[in-house]
Amino acid sequence: MAVSSSSWDLPLVAVCQVTSTPDKQQNFKACAELVREAARLGACLAFLPEAFDFIARDPAETLHLSEPLGGKLLGEYIQLARECGLWLSLGGFHERGQDWEQTQKIYNCHVLLNSKGSVMATYRKTHLCDVELPGQGPMRESNSTMPGPGLESPVSTPAGKIGLAICYDIRFPELSLALAQAGAEILTYPSAFGSVTGPAHWEVLLRARAIETQCYVVAAAQCGRHHEKRASYGHSMVVDPWGTVVARCSEGPGLCLARIDLSYLRQLRQHLPVFQHRRPDIYGSLGQPPS
């Protein structure tokens, strides 16, 4: 199967790779530089990774640094979207929700802004990463974070219909299939994968989600050492609906570019009509723990 066309008239997206620290203003400066570069290169949409706002040293610092969606930091990104005239996928904002006073916990919130700075969608991460892996240290996202209530409908953008997810969500194909069945053409997994799971699972999971949903998959990732307690794998990339990696970031902060060819996507779905062949009558209660 041929890879996506590189025709200049196709929409261009930019995938930004950063190394967030606990310094929110320095993080904004780094992200803004990449977004402005993406705009100069002609991108219509720029994707930032999970925790683009900051990566704290511990849950207490995470809660202390968090803000509501109406706070100063998101306001700066709204202005940035307007200034640059492009859409922004803000892949995981540490959000103090309306229940902050009661719960003293936050949401991991994926915010989609249009080129006028309007909030077009917010998705709060539904699968929280509570794992213990040898060599990577324990991760207890639920110590500071509440799970979101559900999925968001795919949103029409200049690049196509985007379905929002975040990092650990990639391990749950039910979510990606639900978004594809709801009309998504692009799935986005902003992430901060670690040094153990990254080399083993990152690319293969992204390619699997692309192949099974016949969607483009865009994955902006954190990279490098954030502070003395944490580092991320990086390797941001874009995968086409055939499962081919069509763009990939090099080591360190930076960006990569890809064109989104929806005619290619539709042609592939016509040639290989897997959604017409699905048998929901026999799948039973998917998602239940194995017996």
Side-chain angles (χ1 to χ4, degrees):
M1 177 67 66
V3 299
S4 301
S5 167
S6 59
S7 173
W8 290 102
D9 59 358
L10 296 174
L12 185 71
V13 300
V15 185
C16 302
Q17 182 165 282
V18 301
T19 306
S20 291
T21 71
D23 187 334
K24 292 197 291 186
Q25 279 307 303
Q26 188 61 37
N27 297 336
F28 174 74
K29 180 181 177 182
C31 289
E33 287 178 359
L34 292 176
V35 169
R36 292 187 179 108
E37 181 180 355
R40 286 194 300 271
L41 294 170
C44 65
L45 199 156
F47 295 83
L48 292 173
E50 181 182 34
F52 67 94
D53 51 351
F54 64 86
I55 291 182
R57 296 176 182 85
D58 53 53
E61 187 176 42
T62 295
L63 295 174
H64 173 71
L65 292 173
S66 64
E67 297 184 18
L69 289 182
K72 176 186 175 185
L73 186 61
L74 196 65
E76 291 180 312
Y77 279 96
I78 287 171
Q79 287 299 118
L80 181 65
R82 291 172 181 163
E83 170 200 327
C84 294
L86 82 174
W87 288 56
L88 292 179
S89 161
L90 305 176
F93 177 78
H94 296 85
E95 178 206 2
R96 292 190 184 187
Q98 294 181 347
D99 55 0
W100 164 254
E101 295 297 332
Q102 293 76 37
T103 66
Q104 292 295 293
K105 289 189 175 184
I106 59 174
Y107 293 96
N108 190 341
C109 183
H110 189 159
V111 182
L112 186 66
L113 302 178
N114 70 10
S115 57
K116 296 181 180 179
S118 299
V119 176
M120 302 304 292
T122 53
Y123 162 72
R124 293 164 179 88
K125 188 177 182 182
T126 48
H127 302 97
L128 300 184
C129 189
D130 286 2
V131 300
E132 289 192 33
L133 294 168
Q136 191 167 295
M139 173 74 74
R140 287 285 180 270
E141 191 172 14
S142 64
N143 284 349
S144 59
T145 306
M146 298 280 288
L151 303 183
E152 288 295 316
S153 297
V155 179
S156 293
T157 78
K161 284 190 174 181
I162 291 186
L164 303 181
I166 301 173
C167 198
Y168 191 58
D169 288 333
I170 198 174
R171 295 185 179 276
F172 303 90
E174 299 90 344
L175 182 150
S176 58
L177 290 169
L179 290 172
Q181 289 174 321
E185 297 161 323
I186 303 167
L187 301 177
T188 181
Y189 291 100
S191 297
F193 259 55
S195 58
V196 172
T197 55
H201 297 161
W202 173 243
E203 181 175 327
V204 72
L205 283 170
L206 294 172
R207 295 181 68 190
R209 297 296 85 85
I211 292 166
E212 71 195 4
T213 62
Q214 298 177 321
C215 288
Y216 281 89
V217 168
V218 179
Q222 292 281 344
C223 70
R225 181 152 295 280
H226 310 288
H227 46 68
E228 65 277 7
K229 295 182 178 179
R230 187 168 173 185
S232 292
Y233 177 62
H235 294 76
S236 303
M237 66 182 69
V238 180
V239 185
D240 77 9
W242 186 247
T244 302
V245 178
V246 295
R248 189 194 305 263
C249 282
S250 57
E251 296 296 323
L255 57 78
C256 62
L257 301 167
R259 295 196 180 271
I260 304 298
D261 188 347
L262 295 182
S263 64
Y264 168 73
L265 178 148
R266 297 183 191 107
Q267 181 185 53
L268 176 58
R269 290 179 176 183
Q270 183 178 8
H271 291 326
L272 193 61
V274 292
F275 279 93
Q276 296 177 31
H277 300 154
R278 299 189 72 80
R279 290 287 307 275
D281 58 308
I282 65 171
Y283 299 149
S285 299
L286 283 177
Q288 298 297 320
S291 57

